């Protein structure tokens, strides 16, 4: 059944969002990310005391494409 939609004002759309008006069978937004973190990262909790004198994160990424999302539906 067709949809009748009135006026629509779009303020912003995120990078992996979908904006669609009307009939649709399936929608599937995709996104990818790569995160590098060193020692002491991603700690959560109350009263943390982290002591890292010298911490280095060396990243060698020889391949150019890791999470290909082009053409996925």
């Amino acid at each position: 059944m067709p949809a009748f939609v009135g006026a629509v004002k779009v303020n912003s759309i995120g990078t992996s969002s979908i904006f669609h008006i009307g009939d649709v069978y399936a929608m599937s937004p995709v996104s990818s990310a790569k995160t590098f973190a060193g020692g002491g990262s991603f700690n959560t909790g109350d009263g943390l005391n982290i002591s890292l004198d010298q911490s280095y994160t060396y990243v060698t990424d020889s391949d150019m494409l890791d999470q290909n999302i082009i053409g996925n539906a």
Side-chain angles (χ1 to χ4, degrees), residues 13-41:
I13 296 178
T15 56
S16 63
S17 302
I18 293 177
F19 177 75
H20 185 84
I21 295 178
D23 298 336
V24 64
Y25 174 71
M27 295 187 295
S28 58
V30 292
S31 66
S32 65
K34 181 185 280 189
T35 303
F36 301 108
S41 300

Side-chain angles (χ1 to χ4, degrees), residues 29-51:
V30 292
S31 66
S32 65
K34 181 185 280 189
T35 303
F36 301 108
S41 300
F42 304 116
N43 293 315
T44 58
D46 295 331
L48 290 174
N49 186 7
I50 300 167
S51 176

